[in-house]
Amino acid sequence: MNEPDTVVSELADRLELDRTTIWALCRRFEQWGMAVVEDAPRPGRPRRLSPPPARRGGTTGLL
């Protein structure tokens, strides 16, 4: 099995993040488990997805 420092370094390189960010995520996961994946509630109006912009001819970018 790989050493934790090696795995963290490889992840940091692959995700283009700092190693300390990866370690912080590991600590959060140890504390909260899979709940870490869920986004924290935020104040304000909930986000909404907008439809893609219309293309030439008036069609949208949807399938």
Side-chain angles (χ1 to χ4, degrees), residues 24-45:
L25 290 170
C26 291
R27 299 291 88 82
R28 285 179 58 200
F29 180 78
E30 287 174 347
Q31 183 178 6
W32 299 98
M34 286 304 292
V36 142
V37 175
E38 297 173 3
D39 198 13
R42 299 171 193 259
R45 190 177 86 195

Side-chain angles (χ1 to χ4, degrees), residues 3-28:
E3 293 294 317
D5 283 337
T6 303
V7 172
V8 167
S9 293
E10 289 175 6
L11 277 172
D13 289 343
R14 183 179 295 173
L15 299 174
E16 297 179 1
L17 295 171
D18 190 75
R19 291 181 61 225
T20 56
T21 302
I22 301 296
W23 278 117
L25 290 170
C26 291
R27 299 291 88 82
R28 285 179 58 200

